């Protein structure tokens, strides 16, 4: 019974450190048809200090096989320990 409160505090602390929020932004819309292809490219951020990946529009298009980009959206998800920034493209 003496460990009940420290474990509760640990669980609450881990939950808060792993939680976060997300923001979706429409970056660009072109006259190209939306099509059926979608590409994604992301950057992952650890503790706000170390970032890995490539979230460029060209990488997202290449990953999805998109040659004519119709829309570009970004999604940013943040947390205390880990965050991410992803670019999504649609097109043909």
């Amino acid at each position: 019974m003496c460990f009940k409160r420290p474990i509760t505090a640990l669980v609450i602390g881990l939950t808060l450190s792993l939680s976060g929020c997300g923001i979706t932004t429409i970056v660009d819309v072109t006259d190209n048809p939306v099509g059926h292809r979608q590409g994604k490219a992301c950057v992952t951020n650890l503790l706000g200090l170390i970032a890995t990946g490539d979230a460029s529009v060209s990488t997202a298009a290449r990953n999805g096989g998109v040659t004519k980009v119709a829309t570009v959206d970004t999604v940013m998800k943040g947390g205390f320990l880990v965050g991410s920034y992803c670019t999504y493209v649609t097109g043909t």
Side-chain angles (χ1 to χ4, degrees):
M1 290 293 183
C2 64
F3 293 107
K4 189 172 187 178
R5 290 182 191 228
I7 290 175
T8 302
L10 179 65
V11 169
I12 291 172
L14 285 173
T15 301
L16 290 175
S17 68
L18 296 175
S19 65
C21 63
I23 298 172
T24 302
T25 305
I26 298 171
V27 177
D28 198 9
V29 178
T30 68
D31 291 334
N32 295 329
V34 173
H36 61 279
R37 296 183 181 188
Q38 180 179 4
K40 174 183 174 182
C42 295
V43 169
T44 301
N45 181 341
L46 302 172
L47 296 172
L49 300 172
I50 302 169
T52 59
D54 177 3
S56 66
V57 172
S58 60
T59 299
R62 185 173 44 250
N63 290 345
V66 177
T67 56
K68 291 185 179 182
V69 175
T71 64
V72 178
D73 301 314
T74 60
V75 177
M76 182 173 49
K77 295 180 182 176
F80 180 71
L81 297 176
V82 179
S84 66
Y85 181 86
C86 295
T87 301
Y88 295 87
V89 299
T90 60
T92 56

